[in-house]
Amino acid sequence: MCGIVGVLGSHDVTPVILGALKRLEYRGYDSAGIATVHKGALDCRRAAGKLINLQEILVREPLRGFAGIGHTRWATHGAPSVENAHPHRSGPVAVVHNGIIENFQELRDELTAAGANFTSDTDTETIVHLARSHLAEGMTPLDATHATLRRLEGAFALAFLFEGEEDLLIAARRGSPLVIGHGSDEMYVGSDAIALAPLTDKLTYLEEGDWAAITRSSVQVFDTGGKEVDRPIVKIALESAAANKSGHRHFMAKEMAEQPSIIQKVLAAYINEGSGALTLPEGVQFNEIRRVVMVACGTAFYACQVAKYWFEQIARIPVEIDIASEFRYRDPVLQHDDLLIVVSQSGETADTLAALRHVAGQVRQTLAVVNVPTSSIAREADVLVPTLAGPEIGVASTKAFTAQLISLLLLAVKAGVEREKIDAEGLKTLMSEISTVPGLISQALDREQDYAQVAQKLAQSDDVLFLGRGVMFPMALEAALKLKEISYIHAEAYAAGELKHGPIALIDNTLPVVIFAPTGALFDKTVSNMQEVMARHGQVTLLTDAAGAKLACDVQNVIVMPTAPVVIAPLIYAIAAQMLAYNTAIARGTDVDQPRNLAKSVTVE
Ligand code: F6R
């Protein structure tokens, strides 16, 4: 988490840094700060809270200088206060940091004993005190940085700025992503390509352990041992993050509304218009794969949970799924004919990236279903399936989730074809059902009034229970996650059949229970579970299709969803999960796009 930026400019850099920080705010918004060197002097402005607070300070106390670094924070060590905001400074050195210094306590004790005066609770501050102590020994900024890096344990992306040095930035990467941007007479450093998108399309990606000395006319990259190494400049065409909400109240609303066209775009990219054949990126021979292992976090994990059903049912291939933060620590049994699929919007999630690295050499191949094509995960996997959702700004994932789902569904169909588990007729039916997704999503979005009505009730409650069976269970989980993260209401999701094994004790006449149950093989069983809730006076809302609504006519509240073929139903009910959360958050007046404590990209473990 945290976004870092550095600029060696040809004019005052504060506005450029602010622009880059705005694009990085999805990484955290607990505090922000900028340091510059002007006429040789290092100066700094910092503010708690969102970037807007820093902007206000900069109006009152402008910061001049052609060289600078900036930071937007997601707090790890220390509260989100001004003291803990980056850049941290000690004498002639300032630093911005993304990551965690694991041995910070040991360093802090050592530096304090040597006379360093700590003014924050952060792990980061140890870095500037260390660098300062090496400079005081007479080292050059380069040598002092190298000596400092050698003492650090943990994960970091760093940018250093030094008093008296208006043509020098030092950047370092271990475990957290960092990219160098090449401009004309200007140089940049950023946490990702998106931060630098309007500034340059010429990028150098630092590799694990790299650190770099950057001036306006040169870049020297060194490996961990200090040996100079060659890293290529690549040209990347990037959509800059869409800066406006296109008339919507929130980015989340805009991104939900974009879903029909994004799904259409994915279908157009991965299905040949003339022949109807799948044109997904090649590289995996599904007939040689014995098992799929899927790993992700949060919403992306729920996409895996749905995909498990698809791969098993359509391609008859065993699938194991795992939460990335658990995966490598349980030392999973992996086999040479396994395919690892990682799913990630950002492509930078630390645990998912670590899972990808963990399996290296143990499985046949790795495949990444990723939205940001320039991300670390996208670059490190053997095969990349871009989800093509475009930049997602709202912290709660919406369009990236449905784009993950449709990409995974098409992959499952490809696997089914290659493994000869689908005949020509079955394939034709499946593809024709898949082609209806954009239209059905549009219809699901149109039920705004219905979602808003139910949301009014949910907003009154402190707890909500979501239930579903089969592929609707992950939808219930996704609905609960969305509700928690943007409305701050406690929500739980259960497989409906599991209710009677404990959670049913929660049911009383105050508890809203939302049930996802399209008609199909599991409808009757889900309705039986719903009856168990109603018998105990739970406040039921049923999400079903027209046929289901007719059959379950004794339910208090029903949202009639579009009638959808079973296989694509998760994509349609995902819209309901999002819209219920969104409308509840509106009713509660929370910060929909930047909910408290969260960040869009989770680059720490
Ligand atoms: C929820 C949400 C998170 C992410 C999770 C993984 O709305 O956005 O749960 O899904 O942090 O992030 P990515 O997909 O970037 O790996």
Side-chain angles (χ1 to χ4, degrees), residues 279-322:
T279 54
L280 284 149
E282 290 297 337
V284 177
Q285 280 77 47
F286 280 101
N287 47 356
E288 291 172 7
I289 298 293
R290 292 276 293 277
R291 183 177 71 149
V292 173
V293 178
M294 304 186 77
V295 180
C297 299
T299 286
F301 175 71
Y302 299 145
C304 296
Q305 217 164 334
V306 176
K308 177 178 165 71
Y309 287 88
W310 286 331
F311 275 102
E312 291 186 346
Q313 286 168 6
I314 300 172
R316 304 305 299 153
I317 186 163
V319 178
E320 276 201 30
I321 53 174
D322 222 320

Side-chain angles (χ1 to χ4, degrees), residues 297-300 343-349 352 395-397 404 478 481-482 485 600-602:
C297 299
T299 286
V343 180
S344 175
Q345 187 289 124
S346 62
E348 299 294 355
T349 301
T352 311
V395 162
S397 191
Q404 284 162 358
E478 171 63 359
L481 175 62
K482 287 278 105 79
E485 67 178 329
K600 184 82 186 147
S601 177
V602 185

Side-chain angles (χ1 to χ4, degrees), residues 45 59 65 136 155 181 227 276 349 354 374 411 417 426 431 452 469 478 572 578 582 605:
R45 304 280 181 274
V59 171
K227 190 170 139 273
T349 301
T374 51
L411 270 172
V417 172
M431 295 310 280
R469 273 177 178 259
E478 171 63 359
I572 316 308
Q578 299 164 359
Y582 178 73
E605 274 195 46

